[in-house]
Amino acid sequence: MTDAVYSLQDVRFAYPRGPSPFSLELDALRLDHGEILALVGPNGAGKTTLLTLLAFLNRPSGGRLIFLGRDPWQDETRALQARRQAVLVTHHPYLFKGTISDNLAFGLEVRDIPEDERPARIGEALDLVELPGWEKRSVSGLSAGQAQRVALARALALRPAVLLLDEPTANIDAGLGLRMEAVLREVSRNTGMTVVFSTHNFSQASRLADDILYLSDGRRVEFGHENCFSGRAETDGRQSWIEPRPGLRVVFPGEVRGRVTCVINPADIRVLPAGRAAEAGNGPNVFAGRVTRMETTEAGLALVRVSGDLTFRVTLPVGELDASGISLSRPVLLKFEPGSVDIAGTRP
Amino acid sequence: MIAQEVFYAIWVSLKTSGLAALVASFLAVPAALFLASRDFRGKRLVLLVNQTWMAAPTVVIGLLFYALLSRTGPFGGLGILYTQTAMTVGQIFLILPLIVGFSYTALRQVDRRARTTALTLGASRRQAGLVVLREAKFPLLVAVLAGFARAVSEVGIAMMLGGNIRGETRNITTTIALETAKGEFTTGVVLGAILLALTLGINFAVIVGFRSGD
């Protein structure tokens, strides 16, 4: 069996002089060659912190982080070798002053890639992000989206073993974002590159990733297949639906056909005591169930699991939970708008 | 006053102050990079001392080094008092805090992401430091030129450590002081204009040279 790309065991990290008491604690995580992992969670959940640990920019304050069978933090030489194999593209990437080509050449220079090989690698990477022939342009005046694509090309030109992306398509329009996803999937498949990316977009996570790690307050939240349902879509032309169980419809807008996987963001679901059925109305996407699990997080969020018609996980502010009088094993109603349903994948 | 003497004084000014700016930069810029990139206990005190040192009058530094380099001083055995070397050493200590202060400000203004970006792209810590310097190269150049300007225009150190010896340590500023003391105000003004023109020329040449190489 080959070594895992990453193997994390009880990894902890706290910012030494940070203003907040935030800490990240991860029991176990294993990532293999060619695997794509999505990190999903609200702001401040620890997604970026985890990415900086995986990029060896921060050193864990406890636990074991093994990279390709070795401890990268044993000495500075190993840390440097590890950093050269795991490249991070940040949410607001920094581009060095100069031309786009200067930026793409930097990582190649420090790796001593022969000078005659560099133009081809730079050109190839720019082609992948749909900026062909942009080598000589100055980085000043690039839009946020273009800067993000240059930063992605800068990382791809290095052909790293691991690509770490912090909200990679946040500044890019939807169509281009989908094409960038396809590029990442193809590069990963062809080269065995492992990809870890953070996103707020559930459907992107489901579309692109082999696995999703949901983080909240620096801790893993076991999510399983809750809020994620599949079925053959039917449509009336205006809206479509699947029936994960006979008679139970998850409705979403637009005309969709074929086999569909849809995901509902836990923050988009309203939870009401069963006695307030009138508030839920007769609209679509109303489900009944009982609260089977409740947790509160330090960020003031409550995580509620409701099992009944279907199993859902809901996140809501603790204050809202207290005000509505929802408690463990109480019957509740769940409601979400058709527009809150993300279509994660369709097949004919 | 003969032209040869004027040219020699110009040469002494450029040589001692140019060398002082060069040596001080090699010490000050790495120190500023260290201060800008690390947080440690006592850092504010270091910056405060540096700030105070910036305001030190040239005669005070001259006096200090005079005490150190005079025959009875701890470094008297070196025998460098009243030489161009002594002037250069004094000027290095004069402009060191100035270049540290200006460079520190320049480097603090470089986006913090520049260093982490370099690191994640595979740079060693030394290479990442060089990236930060490169990102601030123009303000750093201004810091070095400001140091040179301060050195070339000072008179206290040149007078006390050089001794204003004709054909040896006499530079433009000590010549101006001497000519003014003799009542030769016109010569003093002309020499002052020459000093300013030289500084302008050097600033222009360095900045243009740097931009064309960019």
Side-chain angles (χ1 to χ4, degrees), chain A residues 318-339:
Chain A
V318 172
E320 226 172 86
L321 184 74
D322 294 341
S324 59
I326 293 160
S327 56
L328 203 59
S329 76
R330 235 186 121 169
V332 289
L333 288 174
L334 300 177
K335 179 180 167 65
F336 51 87
E337 296 303 322

Side-chain angles (χ1 to χ4, degrees), chain A residues 75-96:
Chain A
D75 54 51
E76 183 51 34
T77 312
R78 285 218 180 150
L80 177 62
Q81 282 170 355
R83 279 204 308 276
R84 287 190 175 169
Q85 294 183 76
V87 178
L88 171 68
V89 180
T90 55
H91 181 198
H92 295 293
Y94 182 83
L95 299 180
F96 303 125

Side-chain angles (χ1 to χ4, degrees), chain A residues 17 55 57 73 76 80 83-84 86-88 92-97 103 106-107 110-111 154-155 158, chain B residues 39-40 110-111 113-125 127-128 131 134-137 139:
Chain A
R17 280 182 287 270
L57 293 174
W73 288 107
E76 183 51 34
L80 177 62
R83 279 204 308 276
R84 287 190 175 169
V87 178
L88 171 68
H92 295 293
Y94 182 83
L95 299 180
F96 303 125
K97 287 174 188 163
N103 270 274
F106 179 81
V110 297
R111 283 168 178 75
R154 187 169 62 179
L158 305 176
Chain B
D39 285 323
F40 56 89
V110 174
D111 196 314
R113 293 173 302 162
R115 186 171 177 277
T116 47
T117 301
L119 287 175
T120 195
L121 290 172
S124 64
R125 294 193 184 277
Q127 287 168 325
V131 166
R134 198 181 63 191
E135 294 295 285
K137 63 184 172 186

Side-chain angles (χ1 to χ4, degrees), chain B residues 1-213:
Chain B
M1 194 178 180
I2 55 171
Q4 201 184 349
E5 274 183 46
V6 174
F7 284 126
Y8 192 76
I10 292 171
W11 164 240
V12 172
S13 279
L14 293 183
K15 186 180 159 195
T16 54
S17 303
L19 201 59
L22 203 67
V23 175
S25 302
F26 276 110
L27 298 170
V29 174
L33 182 62
F34 179 82
L35 287 169
S37 57
R38 309 255 170 121
D39 285 323
F40 56 89
R41 193 185 282 268
K43 179 174 162 177
R44 291 176 111 172
L45 183 69
V46 171
L47 292 171
L48 188 69
V49 168
N50 189 72
Q51 201 79 12
T52 311
W53 186 5
M54 261 196 230
T58 57
V59 284
V60 171
I61 293 177
L63 189 62
L64 175 73
F65 276 86
Y66 183 86
L68 292 171
L69 298 175
S70 66
R71 197 171 292 180
T72 52
F75 299 105
L78 295 174
I80 60 167
L81 190 64
Y82 301 136
T83 64
Q84 291 178 14
T85 310
M87 291 161 70
T88 304
V89 170
Q91 287 178 355
I92 289 170
F93 279 84
L94 172 73
I95 64 177
L96 197 64
L98 186 89
I99 303 180
V100 169
F102 279 23
S103 303
Y104 173 76
T105 309
L107 293 168
R108 287 288 287 181
Q109 280 168 8
V110 174
D111 196 314
R112 277 180 170 254
R113 293 173 302 162
R115 186 171 177 277
T116 47
T117 301
L119 287 175
T120 195
L121 290 172
S124 64
R125 294 193 184 277
R126 192 185 65 83
Q127 287 168 325
L130 289 175
V131 166
V132 175
L133 292 181
R134 198 181 63 191
E135 294 295 285
K137 63 184 172 186
F138 282 108
L140 285 177
L141 186 66
V142 170
V144 173
L145 288 175
F148 171 76
R150 172 95 164 116
V152 85
S153 61
E154 72 82 29
V155 67
I157 290 169
M159 194 69 90
M160 294 182 80
L161 301 181
N164 198 19
I165 303 166
R166 189 167 70 177
E168 287 290 337
T169 57
R170 184 167 295 170
N171 67 5
I172 302 181
T173 53
T174 56
T175 309
I176 294 171
L178 184 71
E179 293 300 317
T180 309
K182 281 165 37 188
E184 299 283 348
F185 297 117
T186 315
T187 315
V189 170
V190 170
L191 285 169
I194 291 173
L195 181 66
L196 284 177
L198 275 174
T199 313
L200 173 75
I202 288 169
N203 275 286
F204 185 75
V206 172
I207 289 175
V208 167
F210 228 73
R211 281 204 190 276
S212 64

